[in-house]
Amino acid sequence: MPEAPLDCLVIGGGSGGLAAARRAAARGAKVALVEASRLGGTCVHAGCIPKKLLWVAAELALGLDDAEALGFELERRSLDWGRFTRAIAAHTASLGARYARHLEAEGVRRIEGRARLVGPGVVDVDGRRFEARHVILATGGAPRVPDVPGAALGITSDALFTLPELPCRLCVVGGGYIGVEAASIFRALGSEVTLATRRSHALHDFGATLREALAAELSALGVALAPALVPAALERAGDGLFLRGAQGERLGPFDRVLWAIGRDPATSSLGLEAAGVALGPRGEVLVDAYQDTAVPGIHAVGDVTGGRELTPVAIAEGRRLADRLFGGSPASRVDHDDVPTVVFSLPPVGSVGLSLEAARERHGEAARAYRSTFTATRYALTRRRPRTTVELVVAGADERVVGVHVVGAGADELLQGFAVALKLGARKADLDRTIAIHPTTAEELVTLR
Ligand code: FAD
Ligand code: NAP
């Protein structure tokens, strides 16, 4: 006898899919979630969480030098890479298990296997058929590898957290989030690192102030910058790997080469053509502002839609969608403006709203920036002297805050509150009349002149 149709079938148990399924169940829907691999998805197993733990270790590694400069006497300073990465794997596995318990407790049926649409509302999971009034696609994405000879000699971020050893000589290709994070983390942990970017700079989308400040800090950290290098081939010769550029450049030898050149939405083999779901040029599922595809009853959230590839965005999309479909909130949708974001480089980069360039495009000469660069008290006695840069972008006669940008220690934790202020429509005068917290980096943002 065929099973009774579900209210909702979610494909993908990562950030977006878990959020959608759990919220739909909380709203009373009969829900199942299909996951082909590990519950938790990219963020838990090959993204945010293991990356943040590596970043913590990298910060501590730099902190050991700082501690010595302050007078601490440290004997053993080496990192037991094997112990550390095993601890990371155990932690992320425990998070996956915790999600399984949540799903069970909240009444979400868990289906293990690979799902494929065979028609609107009909899904095949390794030979089993399920019907649902609503299908939510949340299959995420996968790292892109360039189409150049020898590309398979390199690795992607999927392999980064389970490397058998800390690479002595690492080349990172790509100047986006993963490239900049990996380059600084591995450099701080002791690797020799080269960061190859096809443009003259990394973090192109972040505006000149952040880009230039970060480039200076990466250089100070000892990352070798290889700008304007378009990868043409990867070769093994002698004791290492060599990266060839399109202009005849040859970089190397390296022990590892990391491709960090973006991610592709996971839409192949999903049966989307059979269901009539349209894809964009990058293979992303096309959705409207409510996460609806053009096919009634088929929706998509998270990285598979090709939007901002961030966990909180995927979670918000999943929850708002479930609220709309099952929670009696017909207008529920995500406001994708002014998404705050942090790049976990060393130092971190925090950014919300418009860069000065983007603000000038939107507001013309009415946009201006207040900026300050300084050495934080945190580094008053250390050998290294990282510079912190803060920037406030304002627009209009009343100087409404349209952008807040920070490169420096603490940027990761201080930004969230300023993002709330920006969302509430704060004026510069509102920041000015807020009493500063001293001595911090955040205070610079309320004392800018
Ligand atoms: P995913 O988390 O990728 O989940 C998709 C799931 O679908 C997977 O579990 C997959 O196995 C499953 N699946 C795929 N196809 C099928 C199928 N046919 N059937 C069944 N299951 C299927 N974001 C941040 O906000 N902060 C960070 O610090 C951060 N760091 C990152 C670091 C790295 C190295 C990477 C790669 C990403 C990072 N991100 C970060 C981005 C973040 O991980 C993603 O935006 C987020 O995981 C997207 O969630 P998702 O649900 O859309 O997809
Ligand atoms: P990304 O941030 O989009 O950056 C991709 C980089 O690769 C860009 O610098 C791009 O250069 C370059 N590139 C693209 N194609 C290339 C090619 N063929 N050869 C050489 N360089 C090429 O992608 P990502 O770093 O892979 O990360 C994927 C996504 O995961 C991010 O967009 C982000 O949303 C998410 N993520 C978030 C965090 C976080 O929140 N802290 C951390 C990691 C990842 P151009 O500038 O010239 O396009």
Side-chain angles (χ1 to χ4, degrees):
M1 205 154 101
E3 291 190 34
L6 296 153
D7 295 320
C8 179
L9 184 95
V10 180
I11 305 180
S15 310
L18 283 166
R22 295 176 67 187
R23 181 59 62 91
R27 299 290 182 229
K30 186 178 168 198
V31 189
L33 179 143
V34 192
E35 171 54 55
S37 177
R38 293 176 290 180
L39 276 184
T42 304
C43 178
V44 169
H45 299 288
C48 333
I49 302 299
K51 183 276 305 292
K52 179 81 187 253
L53 293 171
L54 278 192
W55 182 79
V56 168
E59 277 240 288
L60 287 171
L62 296 179
L64 292 176
D65 282 340
D66 297 344
E68 272 188 338
L70 265 62
F72 281 89
E73 286 177 14
L74 304 173
E75 280 173 21
R76 295 192 54 194
R77 306 175 42 127
S78 59
L79 173 68
D80 182 337
W81 177 255
R83 196 173 109 197
F84 177 48
T85 51
R86 281 193 300 278
I88 293 177
H91 176 66
T92 56
S94 78
L95 293 179
R98 192 188 298 173
Y99 278 119
R101 289 196 297 276
H102 283 312
L103 292 186
E104 191 173 355
E106 293 163 16
V108 176
R109 177 175 171 190
R110 199 174 138 209
I111 302 166
E112 291 180 21
R114 187 156 290 279
R116 186 172 54 90
L117 277 161
V118 288
V122 187
V123 173
D124 173 285
V125 183
D126 300 333
R128 289 172 292 164
R129 286 271 162 123
F130 298 89
E131 284 183 34
R133 284 198 298 129
H134 295 280
V135 174
I136 300 179
L137 307 170
T139 51
R144 192 177 306 144
V145 171
D147 186 13
V148 298
L153 295 170
I155 59 167
T156 68
S157 58
D158 282 352
L160 206 54
F161 308 108
T162 50
L163 286 174
E165 74 291 307
L166 184 70
C168 291
R169 303 164 301 180
L170 173 70
C171 177
V172 179
V173 182
Y177 281 80
I178 295 177
V180 164
E181 290 181 346
S184 39
I185 288 170
F186 280 88
R187 176 66 202 128
L189 290 176
S191 305
E192 279 174 30
V193 177
T194 300
L195 177 62
T197 54
R198 67 177 174 182
R199 292 183 197 260
S200 60
H201 50 259
L203 293 189
H204 178 71
D205 298 335
F206 283 72
T209 301
L210 291 187
R211 281 202 305 264
E212 287 162 18
L214 182 73
E217 293 311 314
L218 288 178
S219 293
L221 187 62
V223 173
L225 301 178
L229 187 139
V230 175
L234 189 57
E235 301 164 348
R236 185 179 293 286
D239 76 333
L241 297 168
F242 290 83
L243 179 70
R244 281 200 182 273
Q247 303 298 319
E249 307 94 322
R250 189 170 187 256
L251 300 183
F254 303 112
D255 305 306
R256 300 276 182 186
V257 172
L258 172 71
W259 301 120
I261 62 166
R263 292 170 63 82
D264 292 322
T267 48
S268 60
S269 334
L270 252 185
L272 297 181
E273 308 74 18
V277 175
L279 299 180
R282 291 176 45 219
E284 73 276 21
V285 176
L286 295 176
V287 289
D288 64 14
Y290 293 87
Q291 313 302 138
D292 287 345
T293 70
V295 180
I298 303 187
H299 322 270
V301 300
D303 286 8
V304 76
T305 65
R308 294 296 299 270
E309 295 169 21
L310 298 173
T311 271
V313 172
I315 290 174
E317 290 174 353
R319 287 184 181 159
R320 303 286 195 283
L321 174 62
D323 284 341
R324 184 167 65 78
L325 298 178
F326 307 109
S329 309
S332 170
R333 69 179 183 89
V334 174
D335 170 4
H336 287 98
D337 285 342
D338 298 325
V339 171
T341 185
V342 164
V343 183
F344 289 91
S345 43
L346 292 145
V349 174
S351 177
V352 60
L354 304 176
S355 64
L356 179 60
E357 299 89 313
R360 285 255 158 87
E361 263 177 38
R362 189 175 300 181
H363 301 282
E365 289 309 306
R368 60 170 298 200
Y370 293 87
R371 204 172 288 137
S372 168
T373 296
F374 54 94
T375 301
T377 310
R378 157 82 175 74
Y379 301 107
L381 302 179
T382 57
R383 278 189 282 268
R384 62 190 178 119
R385 288 276 187 281
R387 304 279 283 160
T388 295
T389 296
V390 301
E391 182 184 60
L392 211 55
V393 181
V394 300
D398 60 349
E399 296 203 308
R400 192 164 69 80
V401 178
V402 295
V404 182
H405 312 287
V406 182
V407 180
D412 50 325
E413 291 295 344
L414 74 78
L415 191 74
Q416 191 79 67
F418 283 97
V420 174
L422 184 145
K423 219 54 188 156
L424 288 173
R427 275 46 182 173
K428 179 164 187 304
D430 297 318
L431 301 194
D432 293 344
R433 67 191 171 82
T434 304
I435 299 290
I437 303 168
H438 184 71
T440 66
T441 289
E443 71 177 309
E444 299 291 328
L445 283 164
V446 298
T447 53
L448 282 167
R449 292 172 174 278

